Amino acid sequence: MMEKQWSLRESVAALVAGRVTSRELVMRSLARIEECDAAVGAFLLVDTEGALRAAAESDRRWTEGLPLSPLDGIPFAVKDNFCAKGLKTTCASRFLEDYVSPHDATAVSLLKGAGCVLMGKLNMDEFAMGSSTRSSALGLTRNPWDVSRVPGGSSGGSAAAVAAGEVPFALGTDTGGSVRQPASFCGVVGLKPTYGVISRYGVASFASSMDAVGVVTPSVEDAALVLECLAVRDPLDATSRSHPAPQFIRDTDQGVEGLRIGVLSEFAEAACSPRVQALLRQGIDQLVLAGAEARGASLPRPDQALLCYCALSAVEAASNLARYDGVRYGRTANGSTPMERASNSRGKYFGHEVKSRILLGTALLTDDMRESHYRPARHIREQVSEAFRALFASYDLIIGPTTPTGAFGMDERLTDLQMREMDLCTVYANLAGLPAITVPAGLDENGMPLGLQLIAPSFREELLFRGGRVLENALWRKGEGHARGL
Ligand code: GLN
């Protein structure tokens, strides 16, 4: 049985007080990976040597009294679609199996610049397309709460690694829910900030207008701590934006007194399991008990938003993934002309899910379908954004479920539609570019974790942390925040 893992906040406090060294934290992380990653499979690569070297440098800085930040010496890991200099960045695809990044993604370099220690790269659905991590071409990841179940996806490795206590925090990406859905399945906190708040530079693109770097942590406070380090405008990413109020930690304990909360109960009733609906009611009760006002709010276009996400993300994916031509990045298959080599490489090294999205996206851009499907999808997206702007005139926060159910079995075959429905509650925040968080709040009938989701107006992440803290304290008992059984 594992010893209790420290939250990020606890590790920081121990480092600052000199009760632990970075080397000790890294050794703990390595020991935990050794102990359970054979069963969980969160990591695609563990950089033991690099981590120990970085930890030694951090310890030297602490001894000299010159830490780079309060996070100096803290171990972390990233989804394998983030570039990290000198390490492979595979996107869990056979296409990039041997691709070594020449540079760090901005998010990685900000964390390294704060003194954090990169432990390695985490498994994911190939090119971040999926909801179970089963579309990874490079390995299986299992849910640390029950290894016969999926961790969710596409950032399944990030959620599983944090839930198993292998690292105090991890980065993932969230284009339609890929940080929040696996975080919910694994009983950890998953944050998707406002679009543009964390730089996407050096992160492999899927659907650029919705891609967001997200943070997976054991607690809400931890997420605020990491976001403070990453909410920095980056000239290397044209869509990066300055955050008007990037001091998040300060506000996390302010509670929800007087906040107006919109409840997506209609939506939950239509789409979610009875257990999830009951949990939502408990969440609302707790917020009201803490002084918030809660009223029903209707979601715009619930029937259309998911389809709209599917169409738009496929179109953008088809365009983004055109760069994998067997010449510039990754592997090259045989062929007698450049065209043939490109086509053979794509045929041979992309997996089924990726190919089907590229085909769908390409089809949607043909003359006919552009008018009949793509343009209407863009229109629905605008309506969704507009409707949220209207909602936020009357509400400070929106609460709803994160996922319709808890984690399903590793061997359970879901239809395409069932798989897509895992994103039903999460795509809204991506379509509208809004910040959203999932907080673990209860268990389903199989004893698997369930999260509740909060959505805030753009650049109001502090409201997510305030509401998230209340839910976490009231519903997620202390000590339950780590996977049992491992
Ligand atoms: N599950 C969604 C999809 O497959 C979301 C993916 C993501 O957010 N990267 O499109």
Side-chain angles (χ1 to χ4, degrees):
M1 190 57 200
M2 62 189 269
E3 57 183 308
K4 182 183 172 306
Q5 297 294 312
W6 289 347
S7 74
L8 176 55
R9 205 64 204 272
E10 285 164 331
S11 302
V12 170
L15 267 171
V16 172
R19 279 187 279 116
V20 74
T21 62
S22 173
R23 186 186 159 79
E24 281 162 358
L25 289 179
V26 166
M27 294 303 287
R28 275 174 92 129
S29 171
L30 288 170
R32 188 68 186 143
I33 293 169
E34 176 76 33
E35 185 182 13
C36 61
D37 215 55
V40 173
F43 278 83
L44 289 176
L45 178 148
V46 180
D47 182 19
T48 305
E49 214 179 286
L52 287 171
R53 203 175 332 114
E57 284 163 20
S58 166
D59 286 332
R60 197 164 42 246
R61 289 190 293 270
W62 279 106
T63 319
E64 288 165 1
L66 294 168
L68 295 169
S69 81
L71 295 183
D72 199 335
I74 298 285
F76 75 106
V78 297
K79 184 175 180 177
D80 207 14
N81 55 354
F82 286 76
C83 288
K85 192 174 174 179
L87 301 182
K88 281 186 190 175
T89 300
T90 67
C91 294
S93 178
R94 292 191 61 219
F95 220 121
L96 296 178
E97 204 169 350
D98 302 314
Y99 175 75
V100 176
S101 315
H103 66 289
D104 281 332
T106 297
V108 171
S109 83
L110 284 170
L111 290 170
K112 285 184 178 173
C116 296
V117 177
L118 180 63
M119 299 300 300
K121 311 294 289 290
L122 300 162
N123 202 13
M124 55 186 280
D125 281 300
E126 184 176 3
F127 283 103
M129 297 172 190
S131 301
S132 65
T133 309
R134 292 190 298 201
S135 85
S136 167
L138 304 182
L140 280 182
T141 302
R142 296 165 180 279
N143 193 310
W145 284 74
D146 173 353
V147 290
S148 74
R149 290 178 186 274
V150 300
S154 64
S155 311
S158 308
V162 173
E166 294 175 333
V167 278
F169 77 95
L171 299 186
T173 54
D174 190 313
T175 303
S178 274
V179 160
R180 288 161 288 154
Q181 184 258 19
S184 172
F185 276 12
C186 291
V188 289
V189 171
L191 167 73
K192 179 202 99 68
T194 310
Y195 181 76
V197 159
I198 304 183
S199 167
R200 293 183 293 116
Y201 179 75
V203 182
S205 299
F206 162 15
S208 314
S209 75
M210 293 180 276
D211 289 344
V213 170
V215 178
V216 181
T217 52
S219 78
V220 172
E221 213 182 9
D222 292 346
L225 203 59
V226 178
L227 185 63
E228 279 198 6
C229 190
L230 293 175
V232 177
R233 206 189 90 75
D234 180 9
L236 297 174
D237 171 0
T239 59
S240 159
R241 319 254 304 265
S242 296
H243 201 291
Q247 275 87 43
F248 306 108
I249 279 290
R250 217 183 39 200
D251 293 329
T252 51
D253 276 332
Q254 278 189 11
V256 293
E257 177 129 31
L259 291 188
R260 298 158 304 164
I261 314 248
V263 181
L264 301 179
S265 45
E266 255 171 54
F267 179 66
E269 272 160 36
C272 298
S273 77
R275 202 66 179 225
V276 171
Q277 294 175 38
L279 187 67
L280 179 59
R281 285 192 293 274
Q282 282 174 31
I284 299 157
D285 288 349
Q286 291 302 330
L287 292 169
V288 169
L289 221 82
E293 234 176 76
R295 271 181 298 133
S298 289
L299 259 190
R301 310 301 301 258
D303 51 331
Q304 301 282 310
L306 186 58
L307 288 173
C308 159
Y309 165 79
C310 292
L312 296 180
S313 63
V315 165
E316 293 187 35
S319 142
N320 273 322
L321 271 64
R323 75 190 68 185
Y324 303 102
D325 54 8
V327 179
R328 283 172 296 176
Y329 300 100
R331 292 185 149 169
T332 315
N334 292 333
S336 44
T337 62
M339 198 58 179
E340 205 177 292
R341 280 194 291 279
S343 147
N344 289 348
S345 302
R346 290 166 72 81
K348 190 162 172 196
Y349 298 128
F350 279 143
H352 170 78
E353 185 65 35
V354 174
K355 281 183 195 162
S356 67
R357 307 239 186 158
I358 293 174
L359 288 174
L360 172 62
T362 309
L364 287 168
L365 284 182
T366 54
D367 283 349
D368 286 356
M369 289 191 84
R370 188 180 309 144
E371 293 311 316
S372 63
H373 289 75
Y374 180 60
R375 280 200 204 291
R378 297 206 39 160
H379 182 61
I380 291 167
R381 181 180 191 176
E382 276 158 31
Q383 289 181 313
V384 167
S385 304
E386 191 42 55
F388 269 106
R389 270 193 290 278
L391 274 182
F392 284 126
S394 330
Y395 301 104
D396 301 296
L397 273 175
I398 306 286
I399 187 172
T402 309
T403 52
T405 63
F408 48 92
M410 287 294 286
D411 302 325
E412 226 171 289
R413 288 288 137 215
L414 268 61
T415 62
D416 270 2
L417 183 64
Q418 287 170 321
M419 194 62 117
R420 291 299 204 161
E421 282 178 346
M422 290 294 145
D423 307 326
L424 203 60
C425 317
T426 47
V427 293
Y428 287 91
N430 303 83
L431 289 169
L434 299 169
I437 198 168
T438 178
V439 178
L443 302 177
D444 73 2
E445 54 286 1
N446 301 309
M448 298 301 289
L450 291 170
L452 287 176
Q453 181 180 215
L454 296 171
I455 306 176
S458 289
F459 300 107
R460 298 300 306 276
E461 279 81 357
E462 86 282 3
L463 293 170
L464 300 179
F465 299 135
R466 286 169 60 185
R469 273 290 265 175
V470 170
L471 294 175
E472 174 182 59
N473 285 339
L475 299 173
W476 194 241
R477 277 181 293 111
K478 277 212 171 349
E480 199 171 9
H482 293 285
R484 305 146 313 168
L486 275 162

